């Protein structure tokens, strides 16, 4: 019984850690209160992130360590996200 309560506490702790980690501020697509995911993948203008989403993140969340290189980001913006062969 004691082991079961320990596992429940551990799972709750892990969920809280993910909630803190996976917010928009820690996301690679977050910049100036806007989400760049729409620009990179849907070729639309970056969208403003609602306040209720910033704290919990969304399904497109990506670790900030995987952020685009600044030069690559400039190239994508210059060519409007289109591939050039």
């Amino acid at each position: 019984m004691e082991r079961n309560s320990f596992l429940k506490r551990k799972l709750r702790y892990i969920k809280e850690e993910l909630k803190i980690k996976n917010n928009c501020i820690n996301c690679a697509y977050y910049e100036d209160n806007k989400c760049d995911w729409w620009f990179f993948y849907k070729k639309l203008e970056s969208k403003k992130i609602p306040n209720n989403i910033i704290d919990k993140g969304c399904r497109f969340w990506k670790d900030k360590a995987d952020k685009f290189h600044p030069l690559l980001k400039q190239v994508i913006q210059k060519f409007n996200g289109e591939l050039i062969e």
Side-chain angles (χ1 to χ4, degrees), residues 29-70:
Y29 301 117
Y30 177 80
E31 188 170 305
D32 297 330
N33 224 15
K34 291 188 176 185
C35 181
D36 286 338
W37 185 90
W38 302 97
F39 175 76
F40 290 119
Y41 295 101
K42 294 291 184 178
K43 313 289 188 285
L44 300 171
E45 187 176 328
S46 298
K47 294 187 178 184
K48 185 177 182 327
I49 303 170
N51 290 336
N52 63 335
I53 302 294
I54 284 182
D55 294 333
K56 62 182 177 180
C58 73
R59 65 177 183 217
F60 305 121
W61 185 88
K62 184 177 176 184
D63 191 13
K64 221 176 183 88
D66 297 338
K67 195 164 177 95
F68 288 104
H69 189 278

Side-chain angles (χ1 to χ4, degrees), residues 7 10 14 18 26 34 39 43 59 61 71 77:
L7 289 175
K10 185 71 173 168
I14 290 171
L18 287 175
N26 293 325
K34 291 188 176 185
F39 175 76
K43 313 289 188 285
R59 65 177 183 217
W61 185 88
L71 185 59
Q77 288 174 337

